[in-house]
Amino acid sequence: MYPKPRPDLQPNTAAFESLPLVKPTGFREYDARWWFGHPGSPKPPELNLMGVQALGMGLATLIGRMGVKREIVTGHDFRSYSSAIKYALITGLMAGGCKVHDIGLAMSPMAYFAQFALDVPAVAMVTASHNDNGWTGVKMGSQRPVTFGPDEMGALRDIVLAGDFDLPGGGSYAFIADLPARYIADLTTRPQLKRKLKVVAACGNGTAGAFAPQILAALGCEVVPLDAELDHTFPRYNPNPEDMEMLHAMSVAVKEHGADVGLGFDGDGDRCGVVDEHGEEIFADKIGAMLARDLTRVHGPSQFVVDVKSTGLFLTDPVLLELGAKTDYWKTGHSYIKRRVKDLNALAGFEKSGHFFFNAPVGRGYDDGLVTAIAILDMMDRSPGQGMSDLYAALPKTWGSPTMAPHCADEVKYGIVDKVLRRFQEMKERGDTMAGQSIRDLITVNGVRVVSEDGTWGLVRASSNKPELVVVVESPVSEARLREMFAAVDQILREHPEVGAYNQTL
């Protein structure tokens, strides 16, 4: 019988080498994400390789109990420890009777593509996405193109932590050597762009560096690779196109090379960030609004889904309204939006983080930073004589913040958000003002989005994959109102000593 996982093992002990370590908080709303550690790290690990093996056993067990064929795609991102974690996961999957199709080094969307290309029902992609070095995780699903949500993650957690495994054995392993070539061909077997575009392809030394520049070049772009050399130390910045550090590096490169656009990809290649020809960052929710305009012009009145962190323009932009676009605001998180796009048969879904989802005829419903990049380039191709800045300037003006994340421990972050929500509800009931105005609305589909009379809003929610809260603010009025709302939201957060420093701020 396989040992029951423990949450409290210490490195450099016999127990650490003999028992599985799995911290319960690693089972998050829609991904698994743990601190695995690295040499010299003072923070203790939350997972060891035996714990990863237990995760594989649990996943195989869950897939079987769901009535899904025990057949699965695996891949891993470019980190020094990711392949070791993947092979530990594979041993657990095989013990649980899974036929494993391993695609090797890959971006997450390549694993999702492989589910379709190989006709395999399930996926387990080893990646910590954009998290700092030392983090690891697994993105999982058993019904393409969607991935696990809270129900499946809760069931998986219970199986793993209880050691409640079904281990029939009989698993098998196959390495799929040609999957990258098949993925590249799938994206590039199409007409080339008519417009000659110079594109900065920023990869942050992450996994996308092995694939993105050649894909964009095959489409007819003149590509300027930026930090495309694979280096799992991430020497310049973390590959996260939501972080201002990466966007600023893209800005410098675009101006230096006279590029038409800068496209930045995160650590596992399922997100895309944008800088215009002047080196100005355009947040992903505004890119989504631009793409919604373009896609409705091409495909007619269409349904879209966006997350609650996104700009209010999807409901107020007169062009989108005239074109017949309809938008549903939904919970933040790639699994939530992906499933909502499928359920509503929406043409596309957009997250402020840069996870974009396109249904047919644009995509297959999963998030892929390269499919997003191609949609952006096609939009530019359909707009001759206009730069990215022109397309952006055509949107109604709003002032928006980046995604800001104050530290808050996993064990308390959801409770803090509940307290903040109750605080806002009490303020609204009493008629108190927020940032100098009365509260018009509270949107509680995911955390709380407090909206003032002039449409200025602030969002507080718990991060789904890190020990953080998430704060976003936007004003359709002025930058001053943006800053007033942020100050008001932050003042309420500071009532809770558990809330720490921000990763970035206004």
Side-chain angles (χ1 to χ4, degrees):
M1 179 178 290
Y2 200 77
K4 186 176 176 180
R6 297 262 302 272
D8 56 354
L9 303 178
Q10 296 300 314
N12 201 23
T13 64
F16 190 84
E17 297 299 320
S18 308
L19 296 169
L21 166 66
V22 182
K23 189 176 179 183
T25 52
F27 296 95
R28 300 172 188 269
E29 288 181 52
Y30 45 80
D31 291 337
R33 202 72 61 91
W34 288 274
W35 176 256
F36 186 69
H38 52 72
S41 169
K43 183 178 179 179
E46 301 172 348
L47 183 76
N48 64 5
L49 290 178
M50 281 191 74
V52 178
Q53 189 176 37
L55 178 67
M57 293 174 177
L59 180 55
T61 299
L62 177 62
I63 289 170
R65 292 178 185 175
M66 293 171 71
V68 175
K69 186 179 179 182
R70 296 195 192 204
E71 196 167 346
I72 193 164
V73 170
T74 61
H76 70 278
D77 68 4
F78 190 78
R79 294 174 188 257
S80 62
Y81 43 83
S82 287
S83 61
I85 287 170
K86 182 188 71 176
Y87 287 118
L89 183 74
I90 287 171
T91 62
L93 290 167
M94 291 174 62
C98 280
K99 180 178 181 180
V100 176
H101 302 260
D102 182 19
I103 64 173
L105 177 70
M107 301 184 297
S108 290
M110 294 169 66
Y112 305 146
F113 166 77
Q115 289 177 272
F116 288 87
L118 305 176
D119 193 21
V120 173
V123 64
M125 175 68 195
V126 173
T127 178
S129 186
H130 63 277
N131 282 26
D132 299 334
N133 255 326
W135 285 92
T136 191
V138 186
K139 294 181 176 178
M140 294 166 280
S142 61
Q143 181 193 6
R144 62 190 183 222
V146 299
T147 43
F148 283 174
D151 291 345
E152 295 91 346
M153 289 305 299
L156 178 62
R157 177 198 61 221
D158 293 345
I159 290 169
V160 173
L161 297 182
D164 179 26
F165 306 124
D166 303 329
L167 302 177
S172 64
Y173 175 87
F175 184 77
I176 313 300
D178 68 341
L179 196 284
R182 292 166 73 171
Y183 171 77
I184 292 168
D186 184 68
L187 294 185
T188 58
T189 304
R190 48 156 281 166
Q192 287 203 335
L193 298 165
K194 302 182 193 71
R195 185 174 174 183
K196 190 65 177 176
L197 295 169
K198 181 184 280 192
V199 179
V200 169
C203 303
N205 303 110
T207 319
F211 309 102
Q214 69 181 100
I215 290 171
L216 297 177
L219 296 171
C221 297
E222 180 184 348
V223 178
V224 179
L226 178 65
D227 303 316
E229 307 80 15
L230 298 183
D231 186 340
H232 48 60
T233 67
F234 303 150
R236 290 198 62 204
Y237 46 78
N238 221 40
N240 180 5
E242 238 186 331
D243 282 356
M244 300 308 294
E245 194 171 5
M246 184 172 186
L247 290 167
H248 287 159
M250 292 165 59
S251 173
V252 170
V254 164
K255 289 185 282 190
E256 179 184 347
H257 294 279
D260 296 291
V261 67
L263 301 173
F265 305 96
D266 73 332
D268 66 332
D270 57 9
R271 295 193 291 134
C272 181
V274 180
V275 166
D276 73 15
E277 74 274 20
H278 302 303
E280 296 295 324
E281 303 94 352
I282 306 177
F283 293 140
D285 54 345
K286 298 292 183 68
I287 293 293
M290 294 156 64
L291 285 172
R293 282 182 165 193
D294 178 65
L295 292 170
T296 48
R297 289 185 178 114
V298 173
H299 301 288
S302 301
Q303 175 74 56
F304 299 98
V305 177
V306 300
D307 77 319
V308 294
K309 294 194 298 181
S310 294
T311 175
L313 285 178
F314 288 97
L315 296 181
T316 60
D317 174 27
V319 173
L320 283 178
L321 296 175
E322 183 181 345
L323 290 168
K326 296 181 179 180
T327 301
D328 179 69
Y329 280 79
W330 197 239
K331 299 176 183 179
T332 291
H334 68 88
S335 281
Y336 290 130
I337 302 296
K338 195 159 20 188
R339 188 173 295 273
R340 191 70 168 173
V341 166
K342 181 177 184 293
D343 290 346
L344 296 182
N345 194 29
L347 178 58
F350 308 112
E351 271 198 286
K352 187 176 172 63
S353 64
H355 285 280
F356 287 2
F357 315 83
F358 300 94
N359 266 330
V362 184
R364 294 184 178 87
Y366 54 78
D367 38 342
D368 186 334
L370 269 299
V371 172
T372 299
I374 292 168
I376 292 166
L377 295 172
D378 282 338
M379 175 177 65
M380 296 180 71
D381 205 34
R382 288 190 279 263
S383 307
Q386 289 187 287
M388 181 61 69
S389 64
D390 299 314
L391 297 172
Y392 179 50
L395 291 176
K397 175 72 173 175
T398 72
W399 288 261
S401 76
T403 298
M404 301 173 287
H407 185 271
C408 191
D410 287 320
E411 294 82 356
V412 301
K413 63 187 183 185
Y414 291 100
I416 295 296
V417 172
D418 288 341
K419 291 176 183 177
V420 170
L421 168 57
R422 287 196 296 271
R423 179 84 155 83
F424 285 142
Q425 288 172 331
E426 291 166 359
M427 291 173 65
K428 188 173 188 295
E429 289 167 4
R430 290 195 304 262
D432 294 350
T433 60
M434 180 75 182
Q437 293 195 9
S438 60
I439 296 173
R440 187 179 78 195
D441 196 14
L442 294 175
I443 300 168
T444 58
V445 69
N446 187 209
V448 55
R449 179 160 156 168
V450 55
V451 186
S452 64
E453 281 296 329
D454 65 1
T456 301
W457 58 265
L459 171 77
V460 177
R461 58 176 292 272
S463 170
S464 300
N465 50 35
K466 292 182 79 174
E468 295 173 340
L469 301 180
V470 173
V471 177
V472 180
V473 292
E474 183 188 47
S475 176
V477 179
S478 67
E479 182 178 351
R481 287 290 295 137
L482 171 84
R483 293 183 177 276
E484 287 169 5
M485 177 59 77
F486 174 61
V489 169
D490 185 59
Q491 182 178 2
I492 288 174
L493 287 179
R494 294 304 146 197
E495 295 173 359
H496 305 281
E498 301 94 336
V499 179
Y502 288 85
N503 65 336
Q504 58 183 0
T505 188
L506 293 180

